[in-house]
Amino acid sequence: MPSTFFGLTIAGSALNSFHAATNTVANNISNVNTKGYSRQEAVRIAAEALRVNQRYGMAGSGVTTTEIIQKRDFYYDVKYWENNARVGMYDTKLYGVQQIEDFLKDDDAVKGFQTILDEMFGALEELKKTPESLDARQAFISKSQNFTNFFHSMSIGLTRIQEDFNQEIATQVEKINSIAQKIALLNRQINVIELQGVHANELRDQRALLVDELSELVPVEVEETKVVNSNYPDMYTGGTNYILKINGQTLVDSFEYNTLVCRAREEKVNQSDAEGLYDIYWERNDVPFNPASRTCEGRLKALFEVRDGNNNEAFQGVVESVTSGNGGDIVTIKYPSITNVNEMTMNSEGIITINNKQYAYTGFSYDSENQTYQFQLKAVMSQEDQAKILERKAIIGTNIDAMGIPYYQAQTNKFIREFAKQFNEIHRQGVDLKGEDGVSFFTAENKADGSEWDFSDYHAQGNDTINNADGNYYYLLTAENFKVSGVLERDPNKVVTMYKSDVPDDVADQAIVDKMLTLKSDVKMFRGVGASSFLDCLISDNTVDVEKSKLFLQNYTNISETILQKRMSISGVDEDEEALDMLKFQNAYNLASRMIQTMTEMYDRLILETGV
């Protein structure tokens, strides 16, 4: 039989329960604008009934608040994280391609390629009219220098973007490490609290907010499982195992976390790369982390695509043979992906990967007749290792399906090499005013010692035959070292305007100049077009990337907003709903108070007037 005062106990349970519910509403309202906060709810159940010796059998004992839970749906969390990685990726990609776009502008506001090209060939037209004029020769050289300086400026600008994105990669890696450390610490705090049988709602919100931030950088996967008693598998201890993966690899495992490190490359991958570009490794086991892989998404991937994107045009081939060389083995590569000297992109020294193993090389040569490359390695391989790499794929760098800085640098180098090659071939066919043979008009500065490569030993026999003995070929010419020959800068009389057959006349003419003028538009030298259309091709490439990034960014942003609305409809704090709950719980609390008052009056009558 229940106590005489059992009614007070029942009413008191209602006061306590609705007081807790009202406090929960107050907490929700207080955090209505708190980023990452998810709505909380006090869960109430009927208290355990008492068995009494009465015909009605059981007597209700009131209400109990069992827990205060978060209103959160993991399904929408996962969808938000997946889409957030795509939003971050295309937002960063758009920023990068728009920066590249700034260096390709050629309009009234910016004196760009087309204007400079027109001025150079305009000066050549004037030279045609007065081929013996020293002033006309000097003017043409000056405009040609402006032409080479345009490519210097473009190269410097693209390299600066690459360096900026490289530094941003390091910043984002530090951010990932910081988030991992915080999540591991929160996991420990959450388990300490929840092992006591209560929910660490606020700490869980902080952890989910960190995962939201991380999902913008890299794709995330979260798995949380309950820790059970090994002796009693059905018994839940209150603790959880929390595993967070990025790009399929474990970053946080409950209280432990892994970190990423950036390491500067000792050797360049691409010929025109900036120095010291970072590669990312897992610090714990020294395994590479590749954010540019097909499975990866997020802001970090976009940074790598802009910095390293080569449009899937990395050098690759198949190992044909391995022979002994001076200081290291020589590996011959057949079926190369690059068979034109002017399209070479790899650095003169670097790393070549064969059969998933990296080998340092100190130089290479190209046999155009057999279309094979010979790479001089630093190491000497065993017979067993040599046998393992035969007929295996060899690659320098990584194929990255994006038009990033290396792609635009390679396209620029390809154009100026072909342009310089054809212009030099015409210029060397003639003689100067002194009757001396023409020299190369465009050369490349050797940064090592300040000398010039004049490509005089480059012979256009068949398909880009190279004099490998001297190695003095157009592969050495880049936008960075492209220049007008120092011989011509010092003596404008060296500019050629007549063929050797015209020497007896001893008078400069315009025949050879006419042939030079055809290089502007009549001769195909870049992707099937003339020199005047070079920049149009790059602008077309860039425009496609810009529009694609804008379109995908807008689409994924719209999807993100839809998912966020669904997510917030469950976990967000709605002011109207909380106001309604506040009134509901206030009325319930007042009713419980009224019940206590009623019970008090009943007990007063019972005690004072009946003498019980």
Side-chain angles (χ1 to χ4, degrees), residues 485-499:
S485 171
V487 173
L488 299 174
E489 290 176 337
R490 292 186 293 272
D491 185 3
N493 288 315
K494 291 286 186 180
V495 175
V496 168
T497 58
M498 56 187 176
Y499 284 106

Side-chain angles (χ1 to χ4, degrees), residues 238-253:
T240 57
N241 288 322
Y242 187 91
I243 297 176
L244 171 64
K245 295 181 179 181
I246 59 173
N247 199 26
Q249 298 167 292
T250 301
L251 178 67
V252 178
D253 188 350

Side-chain angles (χ1 to χ4, degrees), residues 435-448:
E436 297 176 354
D437 290 346
V439 298
S440 295
F441 190 91
F442 292 108
T443 61
E445 181 183 0
N446 184 350
K447 299 291 184 179

Side-chain angles (χ1 to χ4, degrees), residues 267-272 344-351 360-365 374-378 396 417 453 471 473 475-476 478:
E267 304 288 352
K268 295 180 180 181
V269 171
N270 302 294
Q271 186 182 17
S272 297
M344 290 182 183
T345 59
M346 55 278 199
N347 196 38
S348 57
E349 295 185 11
I351 302 294
Y361 67 87
T362 57
F364 67 87
S365 59
Q374 292 77 41
F375 286 88
Q376 174 67 59
L377 303 186
K378 287 184 178 180
I396 297 177
R417 288 167 185 169
W453 289 299
Y473 43 85
Y475 161 74
L476 300 170
T478 67

